């Protein structure tokens, strides 16, 4: 920059301002009089014409001197270089990151923002005050635990005590709504993210106060300590991950307070100069030179056009010569340039505002150096984002609308947009803020009371539409509901205006037509977007740049809207492409390495492993060769010591190296075409979209995929990123926001209970009536507040449009999974999150958007359910999925939840028959070596509603208790599937290998689960009997209840199997039937004996009713055992019944008393007498008439009579057996089998059970070749001896 003054020349860009004497008289531009009038109009103090006789002629030779005089400021406006009275410390106030802190904190580069990184960290500023009135502002970025205020240098803090917890430190805590100075009292209002707290201290009067968003909260503290050595520093204490930003005066205060001075003085002199130069600049925009007519023409700023007139260009060059250095300062950009641009936006139409902003940006790029424009735009966007983020919510959202309109106007300028995309929006700013609409914590300040004057809340739970109360709505309630819905609709329309502006911003960022002289915006956006995803996926990014979940939700919805718009626009111009409704991600994107998935898990495991094991499939199916250097670089184990190290370029994060071969032809070395391996930042448009010889992102198309591309490749990558966004944090946030609806339901229930008590309360009890009336008022006010807040949440998060976005994402994932599945082994390359998003998005649609919006109303709902059912049924046991255990568990849990609801169970029944049979076959696989609990739960749900006494939703003894969540899958009404039961029966009946292995594993797990349960209740009983006070670990109680529930569910699966295929146990022509029946009888007797013994351990633990053991009761386990016995002894064929009876009675654990216990009888009745009435104090199935039918009770009585008779006959016919003839394993049955070749002996039951799991002899560990009947072996020995 050259110095000022006549006779000197300076250069800015290509314009040369000169005052050479030879050009002083003849300007060659306009007549001198017109030039004089024009320059006076621009550069006079008030920008109006002055009397021509009283002024010195003005031209470009004396203009610099005139400008110097114009920009001269008074002495009092000059910035003071020394100390200001009442303040000590540097003139530039920042946070003291060198010594003024306690704990671990993350401080921004500008030393004004801070994030807590320890329990309760504290930091103060570098400047203190001891006299006068001072103020600073704190921008609340998160609404958690923080204490903001003032402290002295002598205050000592630690991880437990912060600002306000010591003497001479004072703080306001908007999280707990309190003020702190050693002690604490209620003060102020609750703050929310996006609020601004003003901290004011008056050291003349000794008072301290706070304001929230410009509204005073009143005096907080009085009689502050003052005098020598007493000076106060701004300070804050904040807990882990809480964040704020300070404004000590480096930027204009958002809410200045009269009489109070910011800690950092504003640049007053530069501010005056900048405002004057802005006035000159605005005058240029309002005046046009008419050289033909020799006059000045006044025009609107929006109509002004830069037409290349030398006079205007030179005038602007003189202005920007002095204006440019000022526009690099944060304070001046926000106070001067931002105010001017916002004024243009607020005063004119969007078209007019766009015109002004475009002209300004054109001039900035024309007359300022690039580095100056870069600094200016960076500060401009930072200020704009800060203003948008920390603006209060007003009823018409006008502030947010104006800031977004200005953002759009700036981003419409191509050169500015590309610079901001490349260097600012994702690198410096948390740009997702522009797509967020914050929820007002205080609805009265947001004007929601005027917008929604009538409040209403559902008078039922979240099940809503299924509740009877919805049908019993009174006329008054209906009127209130409709008025409330009209208010919600008004609110939604205003929010939609903001959302549409946010979508416009993303459309500008996705523009791929602005590639004149550089890369198009969309491809810059893709690079930054991928980096954004990587930072949030890995959690390794700079913490301030990580996107909060609430921002991510809004960002995703706007991105989907913009993406679908661009997608369908491309379809309109290219008929061969597909509509966005048919969108999916082609499978080749997952394995060709063109898109970086960072360290995210693939379905088949680690990417390095897949590249090695599936490289032959890649070559044969997709003509892709993995570069050997890439394979060697994946693990250190594969590096050859003799090889040279990879070049340095290979160390840059990059996509996988691939080779493209001639499609669909045998491989040939001469046909290979190497593809460059590029980092994400180095990719060009051709690398993404492809060209004539390059398919870009679609490299390596498998034969199953169509040749015609769906859309532009770049949009496919955006779609892939949108799916990843949902997986990162959107789903969790959707579930979190349901809490507002839950709060409304809880308060509504409390209000109804209070109103019921009021109606029942006697009028003479005025004290109780007064308390109840007070409670009623509190609940009503809280519901008024929550219902308005719920309207905001529904409009911004759970609206019909948002639901359609999530539904579209679900369908995208389903199509992507279906197309990936067709590629066979290459399906393993798909990232896990596609399956996770398919499962979670369905769960969100089903659970989070109701009852206002129902998933059943969505287009193609039935088809989507069926497709998801097919995916779950096929892939929950897919051997190609070997990634993390989480995805396998998620698939199993999703299928288990799917079969609990009638509409989704019917979808499972609609999938093709071969898929249903394959699913059932997978469910019937042995339970060992896999997570079997969820599998068993699925089988139980298919049976629930068909078993003995198994038609309940909740257990009888829990009916009077309130369920935690009526929407839980376990609390759904029974909906059995006879179709899937039939498939199960067919498989067990037709495949001789399925039934023995499956049932043996079920019996093994039942033995384990019930044994664990008995062991745990013994420990619980022992703890309860100790004299000293002790507590049972809640985790132990939970495990105990889980073992009990598993035992019940395993018994129900056995009941289903016996009902559907009784011959598996009763047809002894099958080799394993007798063994299975004996094992079953043994376990049933053990369960009955443990549960039915008089005053036994089970009874005592049930009587305790410990929290966590609510499900442990006699009914569920006894009816399950009864169901099995009834099927064996009553419903079976005569021959089968006889076998089952003999096996049951032969078991040494059998006690007839246990069967009598089922009907409440201590002993079996005498032969020929009727059953007496049950004792009310004893358990009896007869007491559960609402759960057990008369026919079922009759079957139990028939079973008891049969066992009583058979038991008496067996006792009379039994012969004593010597101990030598008893099985040495169980000592319950006589020896009946001998092992070959070792010759050891046992009963058949013991050896058959042992051989199911082991082939070694019990005694000598020799391998058993065969098992023979003991009688046969004895006879053959006798014959050989005689010979």
């Amino acid at each position: 920059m050259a110095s000022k003054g006549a006779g000197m020349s300076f250069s800015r860009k290509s314009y040369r301002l000169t005052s050479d004497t030879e050009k002083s008289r003849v300007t060659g531009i306009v007549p001198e009089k017109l030039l004089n009038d024009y320059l006076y109009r621009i550069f006079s103090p008030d920008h109006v014409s002055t009397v021509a006789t009283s002024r010195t002629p003005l031209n470009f030779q004396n203009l610099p001197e005139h400008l110097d005089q114009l920009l001269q400021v008074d002495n009092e406006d000059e910035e003071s270089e020394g100390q200001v009275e009442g303040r000590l410390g540097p003139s530039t106030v920042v946070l003291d990151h060198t010594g003024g802190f306690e704990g671990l904190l993350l401080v921004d580069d500008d030393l004004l923002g801070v994030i807590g990184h320890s329990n309760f960290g504290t930091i103060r500023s570098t400047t203190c005050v001891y006299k006068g009135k001072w103020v600073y502002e704190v921008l609340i970025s998160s609404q958690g635990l923080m204490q903001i205020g003032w402290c002295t240098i002598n205050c000592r803090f630690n991880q437990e005590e912060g600002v306000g917890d010591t003497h001479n430190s004072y703080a306001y805590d908007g999280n707990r709504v309190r003020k702190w100075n050693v002690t604490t009292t209620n003060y102020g209002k609750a703050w929310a993210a996006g609020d601004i707290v003003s901290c004011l201290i008056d050291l003349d009067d000794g008072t301290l106060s706070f304001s929230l968003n410009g509204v005073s909260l009143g005096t907080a503290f009085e009689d502050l300590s003052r005098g020598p050595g007493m000076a106060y520093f701004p300070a804050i204490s904040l807990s882990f991950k809480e964040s704020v930003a300070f404004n000590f005066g480096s930027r204009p205060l958002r809410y200045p307070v009269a009489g109070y001075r910011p800690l950092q003085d504003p640049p007053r002199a530069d501010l005056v100069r900048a405002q004057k130069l802005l006035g000159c600049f605005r005058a240029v925009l309002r005046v046009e030179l008419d050289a033909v007519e020799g006059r000045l023409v006044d025009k609107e700023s929006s109509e002004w056009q830069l037409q290349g007139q030398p006079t205007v260009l030179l005038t602007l060059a003189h202005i920007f010569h002095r204006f440019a250095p000022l526009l690099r300062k944060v304070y001046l950009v926000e106070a001067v340039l931002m105010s001017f641009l916002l004024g243009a936006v607020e005063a004119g139409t969007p078209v007019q505002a766009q015109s002004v902003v475009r002209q300004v940006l054109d001039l900035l790029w024309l007359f300022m150096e690039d580095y100056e424009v870069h600094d200016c735009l960076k500060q401009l966007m930072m200020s704009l984002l800060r203003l948008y983020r920390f603006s209060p919510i007003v009823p018409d959202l006008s502030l947010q609308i104006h800031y977004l309109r200005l953002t759009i106007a700036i981003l419409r300028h191509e050169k500015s947009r590309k610079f901001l995309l490349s260097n600012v929006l994702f690198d410096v700013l948390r740009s997702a803020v522009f797509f967020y609409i914050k929820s007002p914590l205080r609805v009265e300040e947001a004007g929601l009371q005027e917008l929604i004057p009538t409040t209403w809340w559902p008078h039922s739970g979240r099940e809503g539409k299924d509740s009877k109360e919805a049908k019993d709505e009174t006329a008054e309630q209906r009127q209130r509901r409709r008025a409330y819905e009209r208010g919600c609709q008004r609110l939604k329309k205003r929010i939609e205006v903001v959302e549409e502006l946010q979508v416009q911003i993303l459309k500008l960022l996705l523009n791929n037509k602005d590639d004149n002289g550089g890369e198009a915006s969309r491809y810059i956006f893709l690079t930054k977007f991928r980096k954004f995803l990587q930072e949030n996926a890995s959690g390794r990014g700079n913490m301030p740049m990580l996107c909060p979940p609430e921002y991510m939700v809004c960002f995703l919805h706007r991105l989907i809207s913009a993406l679908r718009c661009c997608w369908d626009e491309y379809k309109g111009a290219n008929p061969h492409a597909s509509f966005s409704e048919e969108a999916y991600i082609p499978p080749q994107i997952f394995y060709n390495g063109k898109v970086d998935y960072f360290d995210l898990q693939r379905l088949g495991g680690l990417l390095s492993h897949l590249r090695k094991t599936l490289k032959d499939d890649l070559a044969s199916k997709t003509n892709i060769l993995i570069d050997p250097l890439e394979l060697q670089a994946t693990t250190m184990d594969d590096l050859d010591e003799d090889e040279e190290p990879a070049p340095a370029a290979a160390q840059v994060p990059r996509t996988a190296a691939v080779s493209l071969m001639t499609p669909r032809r045998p491989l040939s070395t001469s046909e290979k075409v190497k593809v460059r391996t590029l980092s994400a930042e180095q990719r060009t448009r051709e690398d993404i979209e492809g060209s004539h010889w390059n398919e870009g992102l679609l490299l390596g198309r498998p034969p199953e995929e169509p040749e015609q591309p769906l859309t532009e490749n770049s949009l496919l990558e955006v779609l892939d990123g949108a799916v990843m966004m949902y997986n990162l944090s959107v789903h969790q946030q959707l579930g979190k926001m349901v809490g507002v609806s839950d709060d409304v339901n809880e308060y509504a229930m409390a209000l109804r209970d209070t109103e019921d008590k009021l109606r029942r309360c006697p009028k003479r009890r005025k004290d109780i009536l007064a308390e109840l009336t007070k409670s009623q008022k509190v609940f009503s006010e809280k519901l008024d507040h929550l219902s308005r807040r719920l309207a905001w949440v529904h409009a911004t998060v759970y609206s019909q449009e948002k639901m359609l976005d999530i539904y579209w994402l679900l369908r995208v994932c389903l199509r992507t999974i279906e197309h990936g599945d067709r590629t066979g082994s290459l399906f393993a390359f798909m990232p896990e999150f596609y399956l996770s998003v398919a499962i979670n998005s369905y769960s969100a649609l089903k659970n989070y958007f109701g009852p206002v919006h129902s998933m059943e109303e969505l287009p193609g709902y039935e088809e989507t359910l069926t497709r998801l059912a097919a995916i779950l049924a096929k892939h929950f046991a897919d051997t190609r999925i070997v990634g993390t255990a989480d995805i396998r568990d998620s698939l199993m849990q999703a299928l288990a939840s799917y079969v609990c609801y009638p509409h989704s169970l019917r979808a499972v029944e609609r999938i093709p028959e071969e898929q249903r049979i394959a699913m059932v076959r997978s469910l019937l696989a042995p339970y060992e070596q896999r997570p079997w609990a969820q599998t068993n739960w699925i089988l139980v749900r298919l049976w629930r509603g068909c078993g003995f006494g198994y038609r309940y939703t909740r257990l009888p003894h829990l009916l009077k208790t309130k369920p935690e969540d009526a929407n839980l899958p376990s609390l759904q009404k029974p909906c059995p599937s006879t179709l899937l039961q039939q498939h199960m029966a067919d498989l067990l009946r037709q495949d001789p290998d399925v039934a023995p292995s499956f049932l043996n594993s079920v019996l093994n797990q039942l033995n384990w689960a019930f044994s664990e349960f008995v062991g745990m209740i013994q420990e619980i009983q022992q703890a309860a009997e100790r004299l000293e006070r002790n507590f049972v670990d809640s985790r132990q109680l939970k495990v105990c209840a889980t073992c009990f529930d598993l035992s019940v569910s395993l018994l129900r699966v056995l009941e289903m199997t016996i009902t559907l295929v009784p011959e598996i146990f009763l047809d002894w022509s099958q080799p394993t039937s007798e063994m299975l029946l004996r094992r079953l009888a043994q376990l049933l007797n053990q369960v009955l004996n443990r549960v039915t013994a008089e005053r036994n351990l089970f009874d005592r633990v049930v009587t305790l009713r410990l929290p966590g053991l609510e499900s442990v009761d006699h009914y569920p386990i006894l009816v399950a055992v009864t169901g099995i016995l009834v099927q064996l002894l009553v419903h079976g064929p005569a021959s089968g019944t006889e076998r089952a009876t003999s096996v049951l009675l032969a078991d040494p654990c059998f006690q007839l008393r246990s069967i009598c216990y089922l009907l409440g009888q201590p002993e079996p009745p005498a032969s020929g007498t009727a059953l007496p009435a049950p004792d009310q104090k004893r358990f009896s199935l007869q007491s559960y008439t609402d759960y057990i039918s008369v026919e079922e009770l009759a079957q139990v009585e028939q079973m008891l009579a049969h066992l009583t008779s058979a038991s008496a006959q067996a006792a009379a016919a039994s012969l004593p057996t010597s101990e030598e003839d008893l099985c040495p394993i169980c000592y319950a049955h006589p020896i009946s089998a001998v092992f070959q070749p070792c010759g050891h002996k046992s009963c058949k039951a013991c050896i058959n059970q042992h051989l199911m799991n082991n082939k070694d002899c019990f005694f000598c560990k020799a391998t058993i070749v065969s098992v023979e009947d003991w009688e046969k072996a004895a006879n053959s020995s006798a014959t050989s001896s005689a010979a």
Side-chain angles (χ1 to χ4, degrees), residues 805-818:
D805 286 345
I806 304 301
Y807 184 59
W808 181 74
L809 216 56
L810 166 61
R811 291 166 67 90
V812 166
C813 290
L814 294 182
R815 281 188 289 269
T816 301
I817 295 168
E818 290 167 351

Side-chain angles (χ1 to χ4, degrees), residues 602-605 609-610 613-614 821 824-829 832 835 871-884 887-888 891-892 918 922 925 929-930:
R602 307 299 182 102
L603 292 178
H609 167 73
L610 293 175
T613 56
L614 298 178
D821 182 39
S825 59
L826 300 184
F827 179 62
F829 280 96
E832 281 186 356
L835 276 173
I871 287 173
L872 295 176
K874 180 172 184 178
H875 297 298
F876 84 95
D878 193 340
T879 56
R880 295 172 296 180
I881 300 177
V882 295
T884 61
I887 189 62
R888 296 196 297 272
L891 285 166
M892 185 69 75
S922 298
Q929 306 299 323
R930 70 188 184 100

Side-chain angles (χ1 to χ4, degrees), residues 418-444:
K418 291 184 179 181
F419 164 73
L420 292 171
L421 254 178
S422 301
N423 302 280
V424 178
L425 289 182
F426 287 92
D427 299 273
V428 179
L429 301 180
R430 185 184 281 169
S431 55
V433 172
F434 281 122
F435 312 116
Y436 176 58
I437 304 177
K438 65 181 180 181
S439 177
L441 189 64
R442 298 167 297 277
V443 297
E444 65 277 2

Side-chain angles (χ1 to χ4, degrees), residues 169-185:
S169 69
Y170 306 87
Y172 161 50
D173 174 4
N175 178 261
R176 292 172 287 188
V177 196
R178 305 184 75 82
K179 62 181 180 181
W180 297 80
N181 175 234
V182 182
T183 60
T184 179
T185 55

Side-chain angles (χ1 to χ4, degrees), residues 1013-1033:
F1013 168 71
V1014 171
M1016 287 183 182
I1017 61 174
Q1018 287 175 345
E1019 295 178 11
I1020 293 169
Q1021 178 63 24
Q1022 291 170 4
E1025 290 177 348
R1026 294 193 189 105
L1027 294 178
E1028 66 273 13
R1029 187 178 181 185
N1030 55 84
F1031 299 93
V1032 181
D1033 188 359

Side-chain angles (χ1 to χ4, degrees), residues 416 660 760 776 980 1105:
S416 301
L660 175 63
R760 296 196 308 266
Q776 182 188 30
L980 297 178
R1105 292 298 179 195

